[in-house]
Amino acid sequence: VQQREWFNFFDDGGRKAAEDEEAVEREVEERNWLRDLLGRGAASAEATEQVEQEAATEGRKFGLLESFATFSSQQQQQQEVESSTTEVEKPKIVEKPKVAEKPKVVEKPKVEEKVVKEKPQKKKQEEKIVDLSPKPIKIEMGSHILPHPAKVRWGGEDAVFTKGRTFGVFDGVSGAEKRDGVPLYSRTLANEMKKMVGNEGVTVKEMTNFLTAAASYADGAATGASTAVVASIGENGFLQALNVGDSYCLVVRDGKVTAKTREISHYWECPYQLSDDSPDRPKDGTKLNVELVPGDIVIMGSDGVFDNVSDDMLLDLVAKSPSKASALARKICDLSRKQSLDKNSVTPYAKQAQRRGDPDYRSGFGGKVDDVSCVVVICK
């Protein structure tokens, strides 16, 4: 019976021996029963052999159980390793395409190409700015004075000055009272203006301030009276002019007069003038602002020029004269003097005098003898 039970136990793979506590208790009862049957201390050889066989069987039984438990634990560990290996390998398969699909590596050269393309564009823009920037216009100045024939001994009453890019003409008023031994008002204005201006161009506002300061000085240090026209050519190529009286400053371009200052007078033969007893001030003068280009010719002169030479005659003379500022200024003065001495010449002054009923100019012909002063500026 015992052998049959052990056989059934091992036939089931040892599963019930590990879990069934009743089998253990039954075994204990059978051992106790066998000991009672054989008697304490008098067991036969057969009983003793049977007991030893049962103990051996029991030892084999527990050995199989231990080996089975070891086998089961090894299988379980192997399954856990396989499962963990599977779990570790899965993310590797997913991560590989992510690394390969990174777009940043492809975009880097595109950014570099954009920078390389933009650099030449910036250079082109800079070159355009340099090409379009205005260059300081170059100028050549020349001046000339012819005093009234009756005033040659002491040089007449007109005065001029040129300095740097600024110039002016000052026409002394013949009818103004003068004191002997005192500098003329016109010459004092010219000298003071030359001291105050620099070699660079000045604005019309600055010229007004300079001329005001010069007139204030002349009021106490000079005698007589004077008209004034001053101008300056800035580095930007603009001509700015200030005119107090009946002198003129004009621009000749392509054989035409393109700009001209405006005369300012109280009435006929009484232009605005500066003196210690005159209410006229530089701020009252007319102004001119015009942009010059290479080839332009600026002509500034006293009324001794423009009373005797019309604009058309002046343009003809410019067209036939050499391109030297000093030579052209001399020719303009010579022509003005010639016209003033010719009683049959057609002059702007004769026409004005005829309209106003001047008996000396009833015919409308003839010039006006006066001091003649002129400044010529050629733009290059």
Side-chain angles (χ1 to χ4, degrees):
V1 176
Q2 292 176 356
Q3 290 177 354
R4 191 180 300 114
E5 289 175 354
W6 286 113
F7 177 78
N8 292 332
F9 176 80
F10 287 105
D11 186 56
D12 293 335
R15 297 176 184 176
K16 293 181 179 180
E19 301 174 358
D20 196 356
E21 294 179 359
E22 294 179 359
V24 176
E25 293 176 356
R26 192 181 301 113
E27 181 180 356
V28 173
E29 290 177 355
E30 287 177 353
R31 287 182 181 180
N32 293 333
W33 174 80
L34 183 57
R35 289 171 182 169
D36 294 339
L37 180 62
L38 295 177
R40 294 179 181 178
S44 63
E46 293 178 359
T48 301
E49 183 179 2
Q50 185 176 1
V51 172
E52 291 175 356
Q53 288 178 358
E54 290 175 358
T57 303
E58 184 177 358
R60 288 194 300 271
K61 176 184 70 175
F62 286 103
L64 291 171
L65 289 173
E66 290 177 359
S67 63
F68 177 76
T70 302
F71 175 74
S72 298
S73 63
Q74 291 177 353
Q75 286 186 341
Q76 186 176 0
Q77 290 178 359
Q78 185 176 1
Q79 291 177 357
E80 291 177 357
V81 171
E82 291 176 355
S83 63
S84 64
T85 304
T86 305
E87 292 176 359
V88 173
E89 292 177 354
K90 284 181 180 179
K92 290 182 180 180
I93 297 172
V94 177
E95 290 177 355
K96 285 181 179 180
K98 289 182 179 179
V99 176
E101 292 177 355
K102 287 183 178 179
K104 293 182 179 179
V105 178
V106 179
E107 291 179 354
K108 284 182 179 179
K110 291 183 179 179
V111 176
E112 293 178 357
E113 291 178 358
K114 288 181 179 179
V115 174
V116 173
K117 291 180 180 179
E118 289 177 357
K119 284 182 179 178
Q121 292 179 359
K122 289 182 180 179
K123 289 182 179 179
K124 290 181 180 179
Q125 291 177 357
E126 292 177 357
E127 291 176 356
K128 289 181 180 178
I129 293 173
V130 172
D131 294 336
L132 294 176
S133 62
K135 297 180 180 179
I137 193 167
K138 296 181 179 180
I139 59 174
E140 177 192 347
M141 288 187 186
S143 63
H144 193 68
I145 296 177
L146 282 179
H148 190 287
K151 305 173 184 178
V152 173
R153 182 175 56 84
W154 48 279
E157 296 188 49
D158 281 6
V160 301
F161 89 93
T162 59
K163 183 178 179 181
R165 306 177 74 88
T166 308
F167 48 99
V169 169
F170 305 91
D171 179 12
V173 179
S174 299
E177 184 180 352
K178 304 172 185 68
R179 301 189 304 271
D180 294 337
V182 180
L184 291 175
Y185 205 97
S186 58
R187 294 179 185 177
T188 303
L189 289 178
N191 293 335
E192 291 300 311
M193 286 294 294
K194 192 170 185 178
K195 292 177 183 178
M196 286 184 283
V197 301
N199 292 323
E200 297 179 353
V202 295
T203 64
V204 69
K205 182 178 181 180
E206 292 172 326
M207 284 186 289
T208 303
N209 294 334
F210 292 152
L211 188 57
T212 300
S216 297
Y217 175 79
D219 286 345
T223 186
S226 176
T227 64
V229 55
V230 292
S232 185
I233 301 174
E235 286 74 7
N236 58 359
F238 277 85
L239 168 71
Q240 297 188 56
L242 171 67
N243 184 33
V244 181
D246 56 358
S247 297
Y248 287 95
C249 178
L250 58 81
V251 179
V252 177
R253 179 182 301 168
D254 298 328
K256 297 179 181 179
V257 176
T258 58
K260 187 176 182 179
T261 57
R262 183 171 57 86
E263 175 186 347
I264 180 170
S265 299
H266 293 287
Y267 49 87
W268 169 251
E269 291 283 77
C270 184
Y272 271 49
Q273 52 196 277
L274 302 174
S275 70
D276 60 343
D277 58 355
S278 172
D280 305 330
R281 293 288 94 186
K283 63 183 180 63
D284 301 324
T286 61
K287 300 172 181 65
L288 176 68
N289 184 25
V290 60
E291 185 176 11
L292 301 177
V293 297
D296 286 353
I297 298 176
V298 180
I299 299 175
M300 177 184 287
S302 63
D303 62 347
V305 174
F306 292 97
D307 280 347
N308 294 292
V309 179
S310 65
D311 289 352
D312 291 338
M313 294 180 66
L314 199 59
L315 293 174
D316 291 339
L317 178 63
V318 170
K320 299 175 182 178
S321 299
S323 58
K324 292 292 183 180
S326 58
L328 181 57
R330 180 182 293 274
K331 284 183 172 295
I332 292 173
C333 289
D334 290 342
L335 177 62
S336 300
R337 174 53 50 83
K338 181 181 178 180
Q339 288 286 103
S340 67
L341 296 174
D342 186 357
K343 294 183 178 181
N344 294 319
S345 62
V346 178
T347 62
Y349 182 84
K351 292 181 179 180
Q352 289 283 343
Q354 184 186 35
R355 286 199 296 267
R356 296 181 181 277
D358 191 329
D360 295 335
Y361 293 91
R362 290 177 182 176
S363 62
F365 296 98
K368 179 186 177 184
V369 181
D370 199 353
D371 296 312
V372 178
S373 56
C374 177
V375 176
V376 173
V377 181
I378 298 176
C379 302
K380 298 181 179 181

